[in-house]
Amino acid sequence: MYKIDAPTQLIEQVYQAILDAICTGALAPNAKITQEGLAEQLGVSRQPILQAFQILKREGFIEDAGRKGVMVSALDPQRLMQLYQVRAVLDGLAARTSAERWRHDAGLRAAGQREGLALVAAGRALADMSDLSARIRADMDFHQFIYRSCGNPMVGETTALHWQHIRRAMGAILSSDVRSHVAVWDEHAAILQAMLEGRAAVADKLARQHAESAAEHLAQVLTGDHYAGKRKQA
C-alpha cells in the first residue's frame, strides 16, 4: 500500500487503498487488521480508517473479530459460484448485444475495434509483470468495455454491484498458477473477434464460457492447499 497525502475525498481514498490490498491478497483472508496499523501505513489519522471499515463491513470485505478488532472476510465459495453464474449470463448478453449493434453500425464497430484491440494488447503486455493490481485492472477494463458496448446501461449498473467481489476473486485466480494469463487474453481476443464479425450467438457462447471457466478455476483455488494454507497462517 501507499501513503495518502491529499486531504480531498480522504475516506474514499482510504477505502480504495484497503480494498486494493484485500483484492490483491496483500491483506490475506482472515488477516487481523487494526485502525492503528493501517493509519500508520497509509499516513492518515484513525478516523477515516474507522469510516472506511464501516463501508467495507457493509460490503462484506471485513468482519468483526471479537475484541481484537476486525479481520478480512474469507472468500465464500458458494456465494462466488452463484455470482459467477449471474456474471456468465450478463457477459453473454453484453457480448451478444454488442455484436448485433456493431453488425448494423460501421461507426460503432470501428470505434469498438480500436478500443478493444488496444485493451487486448495492453492486457497481453502484462503477462510477464508481477503487478497484480495492473493485471486485475486490465481484466476488469476489458469486461467493462463489453458492458459499455452493448448499449444497455442496466448491464453495467447491475454488474457494478458485484464487481468488487469479482475483482477479489480475480486476485485469487491471477495470484495462483491454475489459469494461464495468456489463455485468459486469448479468450478475450476470441470474444472481441466474434463481436467484430457480428457473430452474436458465438460471442454470447464465448463470453459465457469465459466466465464459467473463471468460476471453475476459482473453485480450484478456494479448495486448494495454497489458499487453505493462507487462511491458516492468517
Side-chain angles (χ1 to χ4, degrees):
M1 290 190 287
Y2 48 86
K3 289 188 180 296
I4 295 174
D5 298 320
T8 57
Q9 299 180 327
L10 186 57
I11 297 171
E12 177 64 22
Q13 293 181 67
V14 169
Y15 161 80
Q16 287 294 341
I18 300 172
L19 183 59
D20 285 346
I22 292 173
C23 290
T24 60
L27 288 175
N30 294 340
K32 301 290 174 47
I33 52 179
T34 65
Q35 295 177 46
E36 295 81 1
L38 288 176
E40 182 177 353
Q41 284 186 339
L42 298 175
V44 299
S45 69
R46 291 173 54 186
Q47 186 58 32
I49 301 290
L50 175 60
Q51 291 173 294
F53 276 4
Q54 292 172 346
I55 300 171
L56 291 163
K57 281 182 185 178
R58 288 199 301 269
E59 295 179 342
F61 290 101
I62 64 174
E63 58 192 69
D64 288 322
R67 291 179 294 180
K68 297 182 179 180
V70 301
M71 66 181 182
V72 178
S73 299
L75 288 167
D76 182 339
Q78 182 178 8
R79 178 176 173 80
L80 284 170
M81 292 306 104
Q82 293 169 342
L83 184 56
Y84 268 84
Q85 287 177 339
V86 174
R87 175 191 159 183
V89 174
L90 290 173
D91 281 15
L93 170 64
R96 170 188 286 273
T97 308
S98 296
E100 292 170 347
R101 294 183 77 213
W102 291 0
R103 187 170 60 222
H104 300 294
D105 191 319
L108 285 177
R109 184 170 63 252
Q113 182 176 33
R114 286 192 299 272
E115 184 177 0
L117 291 177
L119 288 168
V120 170
R124 288 192 187 280
L126 297 172
D128 297 324
M129 293 184 63
S130 60
D131 188 343
L132 186 57
S133 293
R135 293 171 66 187
I136 294 172
R137 182 71 260 169
D139 200 312
M140 291 179 65
D141 284 346
F142 180 79
H143 290 282
Q144 294 298 326
F145 156 70
I146 296 177
Y147 300 154
R148 292 194 307 274
S149 298
C150 78
N152 183 346
M154 288 299 297
V155 174
E157 291 172 13
T158 301
T159 57
L161 298 173
H162 311 296
W163 257 95
Q164 293 299 344
H165 289 280
I166 292 176
R167 177 187 173 203
R168 188 182 178 198
M170 283 182 176
I173 294 172
L174 294 176
S175 63
S176 68
D177 58 359
V178 299
R179 198 176 195 208
S180 163
H181 181 88
V182 174
V184 167
W185 285 95
D186 284 347
E187 292 173 14
H188 288 168
I191 295 168
L192 175 63
Q193 188 62 35
M195 290 164 57
L196 290 171
E197 294 173 357
R199 295 184 296 157
V202 174
D204 186 334
K205 179 180 178 180
L206 290 175
R208 288 178 186 243
Q209 288 178 339
H210 177 69
E212 290 165 355
S213 177
E216 291 172 2
H217 285 88
L218 179 60
Q220 292 180 38
V221 172
L222 298 183
T223 57
D225 294 338
H226 174 70
Y227 183 73
K230 286 177 69 174
R231 285 184 296 179
K232 289 178 181 177
Q233 290 172 10

